[in-house]
Amino acid sequence: MDRNIRTVDDVLKLLDGLFAPEADRWTAGGASWWDGFYADRSLPVPFFVPKPDENLVSYLDRGLIVPGRALDLGCGPGRNALHLASAGFAVDAVDLSPTAIAWAEERAAEAGADVRFHCGDAFDLTATELTGPYDLIHDSGCFHHLPPHRRVSYLGLLDRVLAPGGHLSLTCFAAGAMGSELPDAAFYRQSGLQGGLAYTPESLRWIFSGFTETELRRMRDEPPESPHFGELFLWTALFRRGTTASSR
């Protein structure tokens, strides 16, 4: 007989266990899946290109964000982390996949960029060594791979390490363009995330209602010759945390 549910974290781990192991993309157990995803660098995956997100470049160009400390969540091969470092940020970047981190470190060495890469679970790392405060948290494609209950963990991460007045820069699947549009409860009945969750502007505004919206739009479609990454199937959003109160 198990009667070991006592804390919110216990509940979150219980809900994690409702998903089949092969569906895991968000805990340390999902690292091997991401390793396989990043193993072949020649695949025509759009975000394998060494280009920063067009929205991130735009935020910097318009002065919406300014250099400080930055955390890149789900950094993959490091394209956005390297751009932030080149713009004057002190950057920590985290990913579950050792293969992705190795690729990112190679790119950083080639560019002479000073980025501190960390391999592991961002929820665990931000409770231990990545304590912030960070002036910017950039997430390009991590959030939409979380199951619904882990939004609680995500908001908790922001509460822990995003500085008062700091910004969250988020890129995620756009409803009607890419990602699953099933209701939240359905994911627990089928034990999978169908490649990632789609979001509407209204759902993002509700989830991050404790933040001030600076901008929310579709990512611009960038041509192959562009120095920036952009795909229309994504939302980009910039939210600002309050200067005193909790984000929730």
Side-chain angles (χ1 to χ4, degrees):
M1 181 189 300
D2 291 331
R3 296 290 184 270
N4 52 12
I5 302 300
R6 187 176 64 86
T7 68
V8 171
D9 193 52
D10 292 334
V11 174
L12 295 174
K13 289 179 179 177
L14 173 69
L15 292 172
D16 284 344
L18 297 181
F19 289 85
E22 60 270 20
D24 184 0
R25 303 288 185 273
W26 66 94
T27 76
S32 60
W33 188 92
W34 287 111
D35 276 343
F37 180 79
Y38 286 110
D40 185 353
R41 300 182 185 184
S42 67
L43 291 175
V45 178
F47 54 85
F48 278 12
V49 296
K51 302 177 180 182
D53 289 341
E54 63 83 8
N55 57 300
L56 180 62
V57 175
S58 175
Y59 300 153
L60 287 161
D61 288 347
R62 288 181 285 157
L64 298 179
I65 58 175
V66 295
R69 293 191 69 199
L71 175 63
D72 186 2
L73 295 176
C75 66
R79 57 194 181 83
N80 288 305
L82 267 63
H83 185 74
L84 288 168
S86 71
F89 282 85
V91 184
D92 286 303
V94 60
D95 200 282
L96 285 173
S97 167
T99 301
I101 291 295
W103 189 0
E105 288 175 335
E106 288 177 26
R107 283 181 169 177
E110 291 170 1
D114 183 14
V115 177
R116 291 163 296 284
F117 291 102
H118 308 264
C119 188
D121 182 330
F123 298 136
D124 290 339
L125 289 172
T126 53
T128 54
E129 60 188 274
L130 300 180
T131 55
Y134 292 100
D135 304 291
L136 173 70
I137 294 180
H138 184 67
D139 175 347
S140 185
C142 177
F143 179 72
H144 58 225
H145 287 297
L146 298 177
H149 64 280
R150 281 297 173 181
R151 295 179 203 135
V152 175
S153 303
Y154 195 93
L155 291 170
L157 182 157
L158 298 179
D159 273 347
R160 286 194 303 275
V161 302
L162 184 60
H167 287 89
L168 167 67
S169 169
L170 178 70
T171 302
C172 67
F173 289 153
M178 180 168 279
S180 175
E181 299 184 30
L182 289 173
D184 283 349
F187 295 108
Y188 299 93
R189 291 192 287 268
Q190 66 175 16
S191 300
L193 298 181
Q194 293 195 343
L197 281 63
Y199 288 88
T200 64
E202 293 74 21
S203 61
L204 292 173
R205 288 178 176 126
W206 167 244
I207 293 165
F208 298 104
S209 57
F211 294 77
T212 299
E213 178 186 326
T214 302
E215 181 175 274
L216 199 165
R217 61 172 173 82
R218 289 289 280 270
M219 179 176 264
R220 298 187 182 95
D221 193 20
E222 295 288 326
E225 66 273 15
S226 171
H228 309 141
F229 170 83
E231 294 282 354
L232 283 171
F233 59 77
L234 298 166
W235 290 117
T236 68
L238 186 65
F239 295 103
R240 183 174 181 268
R241 185 180 183 184
T243 55
T244 54
S246 167
S247 63
R248 285 181 284 176

